[in-house]
């Protein structure tokens, strides 16, 4: 078994570990109220950016506060970074806590008097020392190329802070069924992933389409396939795909749809009809309750019902993790092996290389 698959299977226990050691938010909550925080920026890069996207939507839906996820470098280059005040909170998300541009952004925010929160797996990391408040994800070791439990625990931890800040909610009780839902999805996908691979392995380009709150899951899932299976991936939001990008679909393309509830289900129907019209394979992973656009179409996987539907985007990534690992093996690749390991130091993505 690959390291990647081992860590995928560890996710239910990693989430339970986080529930057993939930974020301590009292000081952060007090500071939020004292500073009358009205705007929250959630920063990350790569996998952490997609975690920030899910967390921002989660906080905004439950707390009614203006939350915005943004790439760290984009934030540093934007006008927003020069207008930080004590009524602003900047949350930095990084599993390693060593992403140098993120640490710089948190330090700058603190100098401006903004409230800062770091979400990380490493208690002694640069991020943990830079942020005023820190939440640990209790991820445990993950020495694999494609981060899986790192993504799920980081995203879950960030969402849990929002859940605990919501004084009108159920608290941690609303999250207790998520580990079992992860286990259920892992078992279900393991039983059918061979069929999925047969449908998709020969595609030279995979179009991964996200709809509703599953859009960040499509970005993270597409990244996993690109990173691990080295298969070309084009990720698009549903409505954007219905315009020019369809002209890029060729005879060696295939589609993956990750869909949540949307206000215009006719747009999903139009997409499915378009895929059928060009005769390309389609794999569909959807949230519970999403109606099929036609009587002769059954979704490939419907995610299980969970108490808090805001956690469904985290769950939606799991099938893509398993698919990425199996596509890599089918293509004769080691899912744990970087193609260009020497690039990590050259690109200086982490501050330890600076």
């Amino acid at each position: 078994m690959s390291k990647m698959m081992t860590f995928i299977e560890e996710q239910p226990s990693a989430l339970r570990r986080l529930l057993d050691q939930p974020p301590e938010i009292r000081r952060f909550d007090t500071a939020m109220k004292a500073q009358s925080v009205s705007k929250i920026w959630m920063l990350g890069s790569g996998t952490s950016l997609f975690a920030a996207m899910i967390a921002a939507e989660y906080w905004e839906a439950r707390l009614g506060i203006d939350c915005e996820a943004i790439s760290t470098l984009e934030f540093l280059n934007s006008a927003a970074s020069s207008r930080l005040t004590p009524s602003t909170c900047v949350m930095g998300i990084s599993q390693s806590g060593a992403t140098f541009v993120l640490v710089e952004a948190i330090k700058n925010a603190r100098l401006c008097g903004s409230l800062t929160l770091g979400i990380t797996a490493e208690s002694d990391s640069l991020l943990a020392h830079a942020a005023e408040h820190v939440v640990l994800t209790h991820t445990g070791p993950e020495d694999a190329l494609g981060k899986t439990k790192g993504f799920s625990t980081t995203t879950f931890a960030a969402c849990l802070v929002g859940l605990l800040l919501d004084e009108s909610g159920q608290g941690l009780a609303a999250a207790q069924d998520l580990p079992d839902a992860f286990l259920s999805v892992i078992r279900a996908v393991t039983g059918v992933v061979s069929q999925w691979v047969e449908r998709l392995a020969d595609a030279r380009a995979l179009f991964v389409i996200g709809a509703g709150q599953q859009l960040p899951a499509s970005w993270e899932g597409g990244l996993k396939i690109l990173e691990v299976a080295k298969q070309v991936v084009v990720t698009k939001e549903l409505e954007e795909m219905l315009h020019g990008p369809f002209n890029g679909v060729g005879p060696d393309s295939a589609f993956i749809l990750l869909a949540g509830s949307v206000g215009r289900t006719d747009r999903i129907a139009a997409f499915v009809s378009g895929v059928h019209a060009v005769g390309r394979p389609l794999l569909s992973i959807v949230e519970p309750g999403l109606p099929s656009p036609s009587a002769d179409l059954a979704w490939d996987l419907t995610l299980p019902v969970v108490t808090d539907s805001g956690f469904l985007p985290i769950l939606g990534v799991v099938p893509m993790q398993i698919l990425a690992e199996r596509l890599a093996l089918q293509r004769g690749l080691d899912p744990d092996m970087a193609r260009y390991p020497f690039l990590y130091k050259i690109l200086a993505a982490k501050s330890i290389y600076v």
Side-chain angles (χ1 to χ4, degrees), residues 67-312:
C67 298
E68 189 169 347
I70 187 171
S71 166
T72 307
L73 187 58
E74 183 182 356
F75 176 76
L76 285 171
N77 290 334
S78 72
S81 65
S82 64
R83 296 199 303 267
L84 295 175
T85 69
S87 65
T88 306
C89 174
V90 179
M91 176 195 291
I93 300 178
S94 171
Q95 182 182 350
S96 68
T99 305
F100 77 94
V101 290
L102 180 62
V103 173
E104 178 185 344
I106 293 295
K107 287 180 177 179
N108 289 348
R110 220 170 156 179
L111 287 173
C112 294
S114 296
L115 190 63
T116 55
L117 174 65
I119 309 287
T120 182
E122 301 296 336
S123 61
D124 197 33
S125 64
L126 294 178
L127 175 60
H129 289 294
E132 182 181 0
H133 301 270
V134 178
V135 166
L136 298 178
T137 62
H138 306 296
T139 303
E142 188 177 20
D143 56 338
L145 171 64
K147 303 303 181 185
T148 55
K149 70 170 181 171
F151 168 80
S152 58
T153 54
T154 299
T155 313
F156 191 38
C159 290
L160 281 181
V161 176
L163 178 66
L164 293 171
L165 288 171
D166 182 7
E167 297 174 353
S168 65
Q170 303 177 53
L172 289 177
Q176 294 297 327
D177 58 353
L178 192 60
D180 286 341
F182 261 69
L183 183 59
S184 172
V185 169
I186 291 169
R187 288 173 174 171
V189 175
T190 301
V192 297
V193 69
S194 295
Q195 301 166 32
W196 294 2
V197 167
E198 286 181 12
R199 208 183 310 174
L200 302 174
D202 292 335
R204 294 185 62 188
L206 285 175
F207 286 83
V208 179
I209 311 304
Q213 68 172 356
Q214 289 294 327
L215 178 58
S218 71
W219 283 105
E220 170 63 13
L223 172 61
K224 286 285 107 42
I225 293 174
L226 179 63
E227 183 180 22
V228 173
K230 282 71 173 178
Q231 202 160 358
V232 175
V233 173
V234 179
T235 304
K236 290 290 180 182
E237 186 271 335
L238 172 68
E239 184 63 24
E240 292 305 307
M241 187 65 209
L242 298 181
H243 295 271
F246 247 108
N247 290 299
V249 176
D252 49 2
S253 303
F255 289 90
I256 302 174
L257 171 68
L258 278 81
S261 297
V262 293
R264 292 285 303 273
T265 55
D266 61 306
R267 305 311 283 156
I268 291 181
F271 166 73
V272 172
S273 296
V275 173
H276 288 167
V278 298
R280 303 317 308 145
L282 170 65
L283 172 68
S284 54
I285 301 164
V286 303
E287 292 186 0
L290 186 70
S292 172
S294 64
D296 59 349
L297 174 69
W299 302 125
D300 289 291
L301 179 72
T302 299
L303 299 173
V305 174
V306 292
T307 301
D308 190 334
S309 62
F311 293 131
L312 285 170

